[in-house]
Amino acid sequence: MSHIDYIDGILSIDGVPLTSIAAAVGTPVYCYSSATLADGYRAYADAFARNGLPNALVCYALKANGNLAVVRSLAALGAGADVVSEGELRRALAAGVPADRIIFSGVGKTPAEMAFALDRGIMQLNVESVEELATLNEVAIGMDRRAPVALRVNPDVAADTHDKISTGRKHDKFGIDWNAAPAIYQQAAAMPGIEVVGIAVHIGSQITSLSPYRAAFARVVEMARSLREDGVAIRRIDFGGGLGITYRDEAPPRVADYVGVIAEAVRDLQCEVVVEPGRRIAGPAGVLLARVVRVKRTVDRTFIVLDAAMNDLVRPAMYDAWHPIVPVVAPEPDSPRETVDVVGPICESTDMFAAQRELPRLREGDLVAFGAAGAYGAAMSSEYNSRLLVPEVLACEAIWSVVRRRPTFDDMLSQDAIPDWVRAPFNG
Ligand SMILES: *Cc1c(COP(=O)(O)O)cnc(C)c1O
């Protein structure tokens, strides 16, 4: 059963009508379903338990949606976290994720970020280059620590996803070259500031087939075995994230089947298992709620101009992404439909959410919802065009709360400063 559905003709989230949220908070606003978040997490946890891997750790990737209330909801169910910056690490800790369930990924960790992570005692840093390894070793020695490390290896498989979110090919900036990895592991094992604990892989995002996973996981397990034979203590395998969701008509694998591929790959290996799903957990749990500001008709087009824009939801502009768009008040079954362009008010032609989409006829003031917007929506939002950062709401069992408030215009202006030496406005 979907927790985001029409109740008495009004699109509702965990039993809360979106019309109520729009009336109280205004639009645009992101709304998240606690029940869907929980379903997303449990799909992984339950599948691991059924496959004899009850201790596998699901490290939710905060970059999909790092709202503290979202992360706390998942942490309460037992999730760990995958973070890619000090800011995300602080979010995970503030939300209550124990440090020993947090993984720090990313190609550009600064020495200060490394030190912060080591100071807090995080579970693992995923190292993406020999240069990063050397820096981490120095930072750790300076703190009289040993950094728990997995090398993120690049299995050189094409993930068959959008070019901008594929990460596991040889020429991508991510990971350590497959053939170089064994020698770098030997180097790492000899470094006094490094404790090798595992191996990591992440091949991309919005992956809708199991075959790239099968190929990559088989390679990683093979690498783990051969490293062990060479005396490197690999006790943990981090299989990354990336499992896709349905935006339009994609038919991504079931989580249970994906977990089955992992279980198969690690059979008789005796190792800890970690995964880092982001989109699959947060994506289906959110909608972006917006209002129609204007219906603009030209000779050959009808533009539905919304009060949401690409600064609130950048995926269509950035990745050519398709999001479902539905009216919040269910149209009468026989009401007319119309082919329209759904756009935002920003001064860029890319500020278009949908081109030539057939939708029920919309009028000024109508509310619409973008589906599958819980991941990489609010997390990628900005103030572009000096639009206020979009607020967020979390619903649960027919109650709801604002979990990130809409700033005021004064909040926004107060971030800037005018130095004394900038001349005063000319006033005659
Ligand atoms: C982005 C990312 C994830 C999460 O990706 P999803 O597609 O949201 O599941 C996990 N691990 C790493 C290293 C990432 O960069």
Side-chain angles (χ1 to χ4, degrees), residues 13 31 69 88 128 142 153 164 182 195 199 209 310 314 376 427:
I13 185 159
C31 307
E88 283 192 356
E128 302 223 9
V153 295
K164 288 182 187 158
E195 181 197 4
I199 183 165
S209 144
M310 62 187 283
V314 77
Y376 305 103
N427 53 14

Side-chain angles (χ1 to χ4, degrees), residues 57-353:
L57 186 57
V58 181
C59 288
Y60 168 66
L62 259 75
K63 77 175 193 277
N65 184 331
N67 184 283
L68 290 181
V70 168
V71 181
R72 168 77 59 110
S73 305
L74 295 168
L77 299 171
D82 172 58
V83 302
V84 293
S85 68
E86 180 173 334
E88 283 192 356
L89 177 47
R90 286 178 183 270
R91 279 183 180 276
L93 293 168
V97 182
D100 62 5
R101 290 171 169 265
I102 301 178
I103 288 185
F104 197 163
S105 302
V107 292
K109 297 174 208 78
T110 64
E113 288 180 316
M114 293 170 177
F116 180 76
L118 290 177
D119 180 62
R120 298 305 149 107
I122 73 164
M123 174 170 75
Q124 176 176 307
L125 292 101
N126 288 355
V127 167
E128 302 223 9
S129 64
V130 67
E131 295 84 356
E132 182 187 346
L133 188 65
T135 303
L136 180 57
N137 181 43
E138 280 170 32
V139 170
I141 291 172
M143 299 171 71
D144 207 13
R145 292 282 176 89
R146 294 188 82 195
V149 158
L151 297 189
R152 173 169 171 188
V153 295
N154 184 330
D156 192 22
V157 303
D160 196 21
T161 181
H162 191 286
D163 214 40
K164 288 182 187 158
I165 49 178
S166 182
T167 58
R169 301 162 303 186
K170 208 152 77 188
H171 303 295
D172 292 323
K173 72 177 174 185
F174 300 98
I176 289 177
D177 181 74
W178 189 260
N179 299 315
I184 298 175
Y185 264 107
Q186 294 298 342
Q187 270 177 266
M191 289 177 169
I194 300 293
E195 181 197 4
V196 173
V197 296
I199 183 165
V201 66
H202 172 75
I203 58 173
S205 200
Q206 183 53 16
I207 295 169
T208 53
S209 144
L210 286 178
S211 37
Y213 281 124
R214 270 199 203 93
F217 295 171
R219 297 203 80 184
V220 170
V221 165
E222 172 199 303
M223 172 87 73
R225 285 188 203 281
S226 97
L227 287 168
R228 280 182 176 178
E229 279 164 23
D230 294 342
V232 183
I234 302 292
R235 59 180 156 89
R236 183 181 298 147
I237 305 186
D238 174 353
F239 292 93
L243 195 59
I245 63 173
T246 301
Y247 287 101
R248 188 176 192 173
D249 47 15
E250 305 89 338
R254 296 187 316 137
V255 171
D257 294 333
Y258 164 85
V259 166
V261 170
I262 293 176
E264 181 66 34
V266 299
R267 205 192 338 217
D268 21 273
L269 196 66
Q270 293 300 323
C271 69
E272 293 172 38
V273 168
V274 173
V275 288
E276 307 168 341
R279 186 190 313 268
R280 184 68 179 233
I281 290 177
V287 300
L288 171 62
L289 183 58
R291 199 178 284 281
V292 177
V293 173
R294 190 152 296 118
V295 179
K296 170 176 169 175
R297 297 183 195 278
T298 65
V299 186
D300 53 359
R301 284 278 197 281
T302 298
F303 294 100
I304 304 294
V305 188
L306 301 180
D307 63 0
M310 62 187 283
N311 70 302
D312 305 305
L313 176 63
V314 77
R315 300 189 64 260
M318 191 153 154
Y319 306 122
D320 306 315
W322 194 102
H323 280 268
I325 302 173
V326 297
V328 168
V329 177
E332 299 299 324
D334 53 353
S335 67
R337 296 177 71 83
E338 197 173 11
T339 298
V340 297
D341 287 354
V342 182
V343 303
I346 283 184
C347 306
E348 298 239 6
S349 308
T350 49
D351 188 22
M352 159 129 25
F353 292 117

